[in-house]
Amino acid sequence: MTDAAASDPRVRARLDRALGHLTLDRPQAINALDVGMIERLAEALDAWEHDPGVDAVLLDGAGERGLCAGGDVRGLYDQIVTGDVAETAHFFRAEYALNARIASYPKPIVVFADGVTMGGGIGLAGHAAVRVVTERSRLAMPEVRIGFTPDVGGSLLLARAPGRTGEYLALTGESMDAADAIYAGFADHLVPADRLGDLREALVSRADPQTATELVLLFDETAGPSRLESARPWIDETFSAGTVEEILRRLRGRAEPEAHATADLLDTLPPTALAVTLAAVRAARERNDLRAVLAQEYGLVLWFATTQPDLVEGIRARLVDKDGAPSWSPSSRDALAPDIVEQAFAFVPEPALWAGDPSR
């Protein structure tokens, strides 16, 4: 590991016996990621991959609020409005390479997705070997709410969720508690928050032949009933529709109050992001390969960042002016270009921004 990586205060990397321990330490921003933090995480994984003294890696977050609220979207906003597209592309390329690296890392990576774990936080936690949630966990891919689309391999995790719960989570941006996250395939084990310290110590002092998974199982507790699982009948029937318009029609035709509330929510969200995200989840289901999906996502996020005003407007309304009143363009589904999805998927970034597979 470089001296810069070791000294960066926002990512603490240290060895404790045979455990490599990475802590995101930007608690004032719920450990939101910028490109420097991503590069530090990658450098630590590089250093430990071939170190015979390191058997496993633990990733957690500082503070009480969460593992990671996602990427630094305020920084993304600044890049887009100043026209710094190259830096935007660099951020996503570095992030996706890290996501792919976590998924294929030869040593088990254990992640404590305690508290808020959303967007880019899912890219860190969702592809790890052992994914731990707590009673405080709130996981989500809420990108549509800012005029964007799920990325960091999240569209593949959504595509693999049971039934049509992936489409539901992608289009609504709704959060999952521990039971929902385990049910949807975003997490593996529930460990009470007050036992994480004991689990961490067990990972440090473990005795062979116990694996990281076997140790986590010693602390695992059964999650309660999943709201997602109980809602499957109306979610599957409505979110299997071919278009957002048809999903809304089916939601309005259901008797469940939750279905009507979901329709009301979708009516407030950006039509472009909804249409493209529905297609993205279904395309990811067909691809069923993380690297291929990351390449798909890279093209889509640059399409949003370089051609669509909704992303800047969504960030402005939520995080800059904080007025909660975005003005989407177009504002209605009727005004969408009939080939908007085809435009998004056919988008080819400038050669300097593409430069090959973004997951490598």
Side-chain angles (χ1 to χ4, degrees):
M1 193 188 316
T2 67
D3 290 341
S7 62
D8 191 310
R10 299 169 306 160
V11 177
R12 287 186 279 128
R14 64 274 195 203
L15 282 176
D16 197 344
R17 300 189 192 178
L19 181 71
H21 190 175
L22 291 166
T23 299
L24 304 179
D25 197 357
R26 194 187 181 192
Q28 72 279 9
I30 320 182
N31 302 314
L33 296 168
D34 65 14
V35 71
M37 296 170 69
I38 289 166
E39 290 173 347
R40 303 304 181 256
L41 290 167
E43 287 175 9
L45 293 180
D46 285 346
W48 293 336
E49 179 174 357
H50 301 294
D51 186 337
V54 179
D55 294 336
V57 175
L58 171 64
L59 173 63
D60 58 13
E64 296 295 319
R65 299 167 67 191
L67 170 69
C68 177
D72 184 355
V73 293
R74 179 56 192 266
L76 175 63
Y77 174 89
D78 292 339
Q79 291 165 10
I80 295 173
V81 297
T82 60
D84 194 356
V85 181
E87 188 58 30
T88 299
H90 174 55
F91 170 82
F92 285 116
R93 287 181 58 81
E95 185 177 31
Y96 293 4
L98 179 62
N99 301 149
R101 184 72 181 285
I102 289 171
S104 62
Y105 202 65
K107 298 175 181 181
I109 297 178
V110 182
V111 177
F112 290 173
D114 182 29
V116 173
T117 304
M118 298 184 179
I122 296 290
L124 300 179
H127 306 300
V130 185
R131 304 166 300 174
V132 176
V133 286
T134 75
E135 74 281 1
R136 305 187 299 197
S137 294
R138 293 294 181 270
L139 280 67
M141 296 299 297
E143 287 79 3
V144 292
R145 298 190 180 196
I146 58 167
F148 204 31
T149 192
D151 67 328
V152 295
S155 61
L156 182 58
L157 294 170
L158 291 161
R160 290 173 173 171
R164 299 295 178 166
T165 55
E167 281 96 331
Y168 165 79
L169 292 167
L171 296 188
T172 64
E174 292 284 7
S175 64
M176 298 172 274
D177 62 13
D180 289 338
I182 292 171
Y183 176 73
F186 280 70
D188 305 304
H189 306 282
L190 168 61
V191 175
D194 63 4
R195 298 300 309 279
L196 292 179
D198 295 332
L199 173 54
R200 187 180 301 111
E201 180 56 33
L203 290 167
V204 170
S205 61
R206 69 189 185 281
D208 291 335
Q210 288 183 310
T211 65
T213 297
E214 289 170 334
L215 283 168
V216 172
L217 284 171
L218 297 176
F219 297 85
D220 185 282
E221 293 193 3
T222 302
S226 165
R227 173 187 58 87
L228 278 177
E229 184 174 15
S230 64
R232 278 284 302 279
W234 67 263
I235 287 177
D236 285 358
E237 192 273 332
T238 56
F239 282 85
S240 61
T243 65
V244 174
E245 196 64 45
E246 178 61 15
I247 288 172
L248 279 160
R249 189 190 69 78
R250 293 186 186 185
L251 286 168
R252 298 291 187 199
R254 297 288 302 192
E256 296 87 353
E258 297 86 352
H260 287 265
T262 298
D264 291 343
L265 171 63
L266 294 181
D267 272 335
T268 70
L269 298 178
T272 301
L274 289 174
V276 173
T277 294
L278 180 62
V281 172
R282 292 177 175 173
R285 187 175 288 130
E286 291 297 318
R287 293 176 184 272
N288 198 29
D289 174 80
L290 179 58
R291 290 188 180 276
V293 168
L294 287 168
Q296 170 185 290
E297 292 174 346
Y298 185 68
L300 292 177
V301 300
L302 288 183
W303 179 77
F304 274 101
T306 60
T307 73
Q308 299 300 300
D310 279 353
L311 177 56
V312 165
E313 175 63 6
I315 299 172
R316 180 207 64 77
R318 183 173 289 265
L319 295 173
V320 181
D321 297 334
K322 301 181 181 180
D323 58 21
S327 179
W328 304 124
S329 180
S331 59
S332 71
R333 290 180 298 279
D334 290 341
L336 271 180
D339 65 341
I340 192 67
V341 170
E342 288 77 9
Q343 289 181 37
F345 277 79
F347 177 75
V348 178
E350 296 177 16
L353 302 182
W354 183 249
D357 185 347
S359 69
R360 298 182 185 277

